[in-house]
Amino acid sequence: MPKQRFAYSGLAGLLTLLVMLFAPPALAQENTAASGEPAYGTLADLLENESSRNALIEELRGLEAARAGDAAAADEKTTEPAPVEGAPPPEQIAAEAPSGQRPEQVSFARRMAATTGHMLSNVGDQFTALGVALGGIFGVDAAEADTGGMASVDSQALGAAAINLAILVIATFVVFFILRAIAKPSFRALSGWALRGSEKFAMLRTVVAVAVAAFVDVVVVALAYLAGGAVSSALVNNVDADATRLALFLNAFLVVELFKAGLRMLFSSGYEGLRLVPVGADQAGYCNRFLANLAGFIGYGMLVLVPVLNFNLSPSLGSAVGTIIMLLALIYAAIVILKKRTVVRDRLFARAEQTSGPGRVLMRLLGRLWHVLALAYAFLVFAVTVINPDTALPFVASATLLTVVYAGVGMLVSVILTQLIGKEIRFSERLNHSMPRLQSRVNTYVPTGLKVIRAMILILVVVLSLDAWEVYDLAAWYATEAGVSVVSAIVDILLILLVAAAVWIGLASLLEHKFSPREGADPAAAARAETLLGLFHTALAIALIIMTTMIVLSEIGIDIAPLIAGAGVLGLAIGFGAQKLVQDVITGVFIQLENAINTGDFVSAGGNSGTVERVGIRSVAMRDLSGTYHIVPFSAVGAVSNYTREFGNHVGEYGIAYRESIDDAITQLEAAFEELKEGPMKDNILAPMTVAGVTALADSSVNIRVVIKASPGMQWAVGRAYNRLVKKYFDQAGIEIPFPHTTLYFGEDKDGKAPPAYIKVLNDDRVVDTQDGKGNDPAG
C-alpha cells in the first residue's frame, strides 16, 4: 500500500530530476542582467518559435479588437458579452463567421466549435513543441529541429543541481516521516477517546478529536517544511545551489502535504475515530490513496516540474509537459471512476432506502448519475488546463476547494445537530405527570425544526458554492440595500417562527398543567378536562397562527394595515351577520367553564336527551337511546339537565290494593332491597333505601314511594333490577298490585230495583248461576 500511495509522487520527482539534468539558467537572462541592455536575442528567439509567434500575434490582434470594440461601444452605447475563458480571440471567430456578422452575432454552436478547435489545436501544438524540445535535448541538430528557444544544456551544472534537489527532497521527507511516526500515539489516543462515551455526543467528540489531530498533522507538515528550508539555506550558502528551484519544491511540498492532511481528516483509514466521512476502513483507505495519488502527481508536476521547464528550457515544453500530466491524471481518474461506478451506485441506493421524501429521489438520481458528473468534472479540469492554465486552472481549483469545504461543513453541522437533538427527548416522570403531552409535542416539533435547519443548510451550501464558481457576486449583492434587507428578513422570519413555536409549546403545556385531571380523578373530571383542553388549544392555535402570519407578512415588506382594517370590518360584519354563531361560541364557553356538560354524560339539552359524545366550541353532539345522533347548537340550549353528576336516585312508586296492609307491603319492599344489595348491583348502591311513605290514595291503589341512591348513570339499571324483585316478593306474600277495574251498571226502575243480570262464569268445567249461587254439574 505505501508503494501505491507514492507511485505518482515518485514519478513526478523522477521527471523533476530529469529536467534538472538538462536545465541550466537561461543565458539570455544572464546576459541581460549583466549588460543592462534589452535582450534582443530573446526577442528573436520568441519570434522564431512558431507557437510563441502565433501567441504574440493573437495577443496583438486581441488588443486591436478590444480597442475597436471600445470605440464601437462609445458610438452605439451597447455592451458586448465577455469572451469565454480560454476561447479563441474575437477576430478569429469573426474571421470564421459568415460575411457581415460581428463576433457577438456568431451562434453559440459556432463559438463552441471554435473553442473546441482551439483547444485541440493547443494540444497538438504542445505535443509538437514537446517533440521538438526533446529532440533538442537529445542532440538533434538545430537546423533540423526547432528547439523552441531553449538554452544549451550544461550537463555538469545540471547534475549538481539535481544532486542538491535530491538532498533537499530526501531530507524533507525523512524529517516528515519521523515526525509522523512520533505523532502516531497521539492520533491513536485521540481516536480511542472519540469512540468512547455516549452516542449522543459521538459526532461532537469526533469533530474535536479530528480538529486536534489536524492541528498536529499541520504542525508536522510545518516542521518538515522548516527543516527543508534549513537544508535549502545550507545548500544555497555552501554549494551555491539555485534557491528558486529548491523553493519550488518546498512550496509544492507544503501545498500537497496540507491537502493530504485534509484528506486524512475525511478518510482516515488507520484511525476510525478520526474519520469524518461515514464509510468503512477499506473504502476510506481506497479513497485516500486515490486522491493522494492525484494530489501528489498533479501537485509536484505542475508546481515543480512545469515551472522549471518554463523558466529554464521553453514555455512550450513546460506547457506540453503540463498537458501530459493532466492527461495522465484524467485517464487515471476515469479508470477509477468507471471501476467504482457500481459500488458507489449501490451504496447510494442503500442510503436512499433509509431516507424518505425528496431526499430519497435525489439520492437515487445521484446514484445513477454520479459517475457522469465525476467524469464531466475531470474533463472540465483537463480542458481548462489545456485552454488557459494560467488563470482557469487556479480558478477551478479554488472553486472546487471552496465547494468541498462548504459541503463538508454543512454535512458536518447537520450530522452534529442530528446526534444532539435528533434522538427522542425524555423528561422526568414528575414533569410528564404534570404536563403529559409536553414530551410528545417536543419530539414532534424538534425533528420538524431539524428538517427545516437541514433545508436551510442545503440552500446556504448551494448559494455559497455558486458564489465560489462566480455565478454571481454574493458579497457585492449583500453590500446593496436589497441584499441586506433580504438577509435581515430571512433571519427575522426564522426567529419569529422559533419564538412562535416556543410560545405554543409553553402555553399549551401550561394549559395541560392547569386542566389535566389529577391522579384518581373521576371520569367526569377527566372528560371535562379533555373538553376544555380542546377548546383552549383551538383558540390558542388560531390566535398564534394569525399573529405569526401578520408579523411574517410585515417582515417580507407587505403592508398589513389594510389586512388589519379588513379583519376589523370582517369581524364587525360577522358580529352583525352571524349573531347566532357568536352566541353559540360564547354560550359554549360559559357552559364549559361552569362544568355543565362533559363527554360521556347523559344530559337533556335543547329538547333532546342522550349521551354526550362530543363537546365543541359551538355545539354539543349526543346520541339518544334509539341511536339517533343529535347536534344541538349552544344558542338553542336554554337549560341543561345532567343525569350523571355525583349520584342518581331511583324513585319508585308502588301501588297496593286497598284491602292490603301497608306495613306488610313496606316489609316486602325492604326485603326486596336487601336482596338487591347482595346482587350484581351492590357496587352501584351508595346508601340505604329511603321509604318516603304513602304518597297518594289513588282511585284503585294505595301508592308507596321509595328512593334508592345509586352511582351516576346507573340509577336506571338499579331501578329495573329493584322492580323485578318487588314483583317477586309481592307475589310471594300475596299482596295484590292493583290493575284497572271496570264496573258494569244496568240501571234501576222507579222502585229503585235493578233488573236481574244473568251472568255465567266458566270455572273448573262448572257452570255457576249467579242468581241463586248454586252450581249445576253439566255432567249431571
Side-chain angles (χ1 to χ4, degrees):
M1 183 169 64
K3 293 181 179 179
Q4 185 178 0
R5 178 179 304 173
F6 294 104
Y8 290 98
S9 301
L11 179 59
L14 179 59
L15 291 176
T16 304
L17 292 176
L18 288 176
V19 171
M20 294 301 177
L21 291 175
F22 301 98
L27 298 178
Q29 294 185 0
E30 292 178 356
N31 294 334
T32 301
S35 61
E37 298 177 355
Y40 298 108
T42 303
L43 179 60
D45 294 338
L46 180 65
L47 295 177
E48 185 179 5
N49 183 269
E50 182 180 359
S51 298
S52 58
R53 183 174 66 253
N54 292 335
L56 179 59
I57 293 172
E58 291 177 359
E59 183 69 22
L60 294 175
R61 287 179 178 176
L63 294 175
E64 176 63 22
R67 186 185 64 79
D70 293 339
D75 294 336
E76 300 177 4
K77 301 299 182 180
T78 57
T79 58
E80 298 180 0
V84 180
E85 183 70 37
E91 67 277 1
Q92 181 177 344
I93 298 177
E96 298 175 358
S99 177
Q101 288 189 359
R102 295 196 304 270
E104 65 271 14
Q105 294 177 328
V106 180
S107 65
F108 175 76
R110 182 174 293 276
R111 290 199 301 269
M112 287 299 298
T115 302
T116 306
H118 183 65
M119 181 185 71
L120 296 177
S121 176
N122 283 350
V123 174
D125 292 342
Q126 290 169 5
F127 278 102
T128 301
L130 177 63
V132 172
L134 292 178
I137 292 175
F138 289 103
V140 178
D141 193 288
E144 299 177 359
D146 183 9
T147 62
M150 290 188 303
S152 60
V153 176
D154 188 351
S155 302
Q156 183 178 0
L158 195 56
I163 294 175
N164 294 332
L165 181 62
I167 294 174
L168 177 61
V169 171
I170 294 174
T172 304
F173 276 105
V174 166
V175 173
F176 176 70
F177 289 138
I178 292 175
L179 293 176
R180 287 281 301 174
I182 296 174
K184 276 186 177 181
S186 62
F187 295 152
R188 191 178 301 109
L190 288 171
S191 177
W193 175 78
L195 295 175
R196 293 192 298 268
S198 63
E199 184 181 356
K200 183 176 182 180
F201 299 98
M203 181 52 67
L204 191 59
R205 291 195 309 274
T206 301
V207 171
V208 174
V210 169
V212 176
F215 175 76
V216 175
D217 216 346
V218 171
V219 169
V220 168
V221 174
L223 292 177
Y225 175 80
L226 293 177
V231 174
S232 175
S233 299
L235 292 174
V236 172
N237 295 329
N238 296 328
V239 297
D240 197 19
D242 188 355
T244 302
R245 295 169 183 169
L246 302 181
L248 285 174
F249 167 75
L250 290 177
N251 293 336
F253 171 82
L254 184 63
V255 172
V256 172
E257 295 305 325
L258 286 178
F259 180 80
K260 290 182 179 180
L263 291 179
R264 286 191 286 271
M265 293 174 59
L266 299 175
F267 306 102
S268 179
S269 58
Y271 308 101
E272 182 180 359
L274 303 180
R275 187 185 311 142
L276 291 178
V277 179
V279 295
D282 295 339
Q283 291 78 15
Y286 189 88
C287 294
N288 193 12
R289 289 192 301 272
F290 167 63
L291 297 175
N293 290 337
L294 280 179
F297 180 64
I298 297 176
Y300 288 112
M302 300 297 291
L303 297 179
V304 179
L305 182 58
V306 172
V308 169
L309 292 176
N310 288 335
F311 184 76
N312 293 280
L313 294 180
S314 170
S316 300
L317 179 60
S319 178
V321 172
T323 301
I324 293 176
I325 292 174
M326 297 305 298
L327 181 60
L328 293 177
L330 173 65
I331 295 173
Y332 174 59
I335 292 174
V336 173
I337 290 171
L338 295 177
K339 181 180 179 182
K340 295 297 180 179
R341 177 175 63 89
T342 305
V343 177
V344 177
R345 182 195 63 189
D346 295 340
R347 291 186 178 276
L348 290 175
F349 283 175
R351 190 66 177 269
E353 296 299 326
Q354 301 175 1
T355 58
S356 59
R360 182 175 184 178
V361 177
L362 291 177
M363 292 295 290
R364 293 189 65 86
L365 182 63
L366 181 62
R368 294 183 181 278
L369 299 178
W370 80 269
H371 62 287
V372 177
L373 299 176
L375 289 174
Y377 174 77
F379 181 77
L380 173 65
V381 174
F382 172 75
V384 298
T385 305
V386 173
I387 294 175
N388 197 342
D390 294 335
T391 58
L393 183 60
F395 167 74
V396 172
S398 62
T400 302
L401 179 61
L402 289 176
T403 302
V404 172
V405 171
Y406 294 150
V409 172
M411 182 177 65
L412 185 62
V413 173
S414 178
V415 172
I416 292 176
L417 290 176
T418 301
Q419 290 195 350
L420 287 178
I421 59 178
K423 305 293 183 181
E424 183 180 3
I425 300 175
R426 295 184 178 274
F427 297 121
S428 63
E429 292 294 334
R430 180 179 178 182
L431 188 59
N432 286 331
H433 179 70
S434 59
M435 300 179 183
R437 299 182 184 177
L438 178 61
Q439 179 171 311
S440 61
R441 184 176 292 110
V442 170
N443 285 308
T444 300
Y445 289 115
V446 168
T448 303
L450 185 60
K451 292 179 181 178
V452 174
I453 293 175
R454 285 177 174 174
M456 296 298 296
I457 291 174
L458 176 60
I459 294 174
L460 183 61
V461 168
V462 172
V463 169
L464 293 177
S465 299
L466 293 177
D467 177 66
W469 289 94
E470 295 186 1
V471 176
Y472 47 77
D473 192 346
L474 185 61
W477 174 78
Y478 181 71
T480 62
E481 183 178 355
V484 174
S485 62
V486 169
V487 173
S488 177
I490 292 175
V491 174
D492 292 343
I493 289 173
L494 292 177
L495 291 177
I496 290 168
L497 295 177
L498 179 62
V499 171
V503 170
W504 164 254
I505 294 174
L507 292 182
S509 301
L510 288 177
L511 289 175
E512 293 168 5
H513 178 68
K514 178 67 176 178
F515 294 103
S516 293
R518 299 295 182 266
E519 186 177 357
D522 56 359
R528 177 174 176 269
E530 290 293 330
T531 302
L532 290 176
L533 274 177
L535 182 64
F536 286 112
H537 275 172
T538 303
L540 178 62
I542 292 174
L544 274 178
I545 290 174
I546 292 176
M547 292 177 62
T548 304
T549 303
M550 289 293 184
I551 297 174
V552 169
L553 291 177
S554 176
E555 285 295 329
I556 63 178
I558 297 178
D559 187 9
I560 62 173
L563 295 178
I564 296 176
V569 174
L570 181 62
L572 186 62
I574 291 176
F576 284 105
Q579 297 182 26
K580 279 291 185 181
L581 178 62
V582 176
Q583 185 180 357
D584 289 340
V585 174
I586 295 176
T587 305
V589 170
F590 281 101
I591 286 177
Q592 288 304 305
L593 290 177
E594 293 173 359
N595 195 20
I597 300 176
N598 288 322
T599 304
D601 290 349
F602 188 89
V603 300
S604 177
N608 296 282
S609 298
T611 303
V612 177
E613 294 189 356
R614 178 186 60 81
V615 180
I617 194 172
R618 60 165 298 273
S619 64
V620 58
M622 49 189 170
R623 193 180 298 276
D624 60 16
L625 294 177
S626 62
T628 305
Y629 188 73
H630 302 277
I631 297 179
V632 181
F634 283 125
S635 60
V637 178
V640 177
S641 300
N642 197 322
Y643 299 92
T644 53
R645 285 299 170 86
E646 297 182 2
F647 64 89
N649 286 333
H650 165 65
V651 180
E653 295 276 350
Y654 301 98
I656 61 175
Y658 273 90
R659 67 170 178 268
E660 302 294 345
S661 171
I662 295 176
D663 295 336
D664 292 343
I666 292 176
T667 301
Q668 297 302 320
L669 291 173
E670 291 176 347
F673 179 73
E674 292 299 327
E675 183 176 346
L676 179 67
K677 290 193 302 181
E678 302 298 329
M681 291 294 172
K682 62 181 180 179
D683 295 332
N684 295 317
I685 299 174
L686 303 180
M689 182 182 67
T690 301
V691 180
V694 177
T695 58
L697 298 175
D699 294 338
S700 60
S701 64
V702 177
N703 295 336
I704 304 173
R705 176 180 294 173
V706 299
V707 179
I708 301 176
K709 189 176 183 180
S711 300
M714 296 301 296
Q715 59 265 36
W716 299 287
V718 171
R720 289 190 296 269
Y722 184 67
N723 289 337
R724 185 184 71 84
L725 294 176
V726 168
K727 177 65 169 60
K728 172 184 174 182
Y729 276 85
F730 276 11
D731 288 344
Q732 290 177 356
I735 298 175
E736 179 185 357
I737 301 176
F739 53 90
H741 291 72
T742 302
T743 301
L744 300 178
Y745 176 68
F746 294 97
E748 295 180 351
D749 57 11
K750 293 181 178 181
D751 297 334
K753 295 182 180 180
Y758 297 96
I759 299 175
K760 291 183 179 181
V761 179
L762 298 178
N763 185 18
D764 295 335
D765 296 332
R766 296 170 62 189
V767 178
V768 179
D769 188 351
T770 59
Q771 187 175 15
D772 57 7
K774 295 181 180 179
N776 297 322
D777 189 357

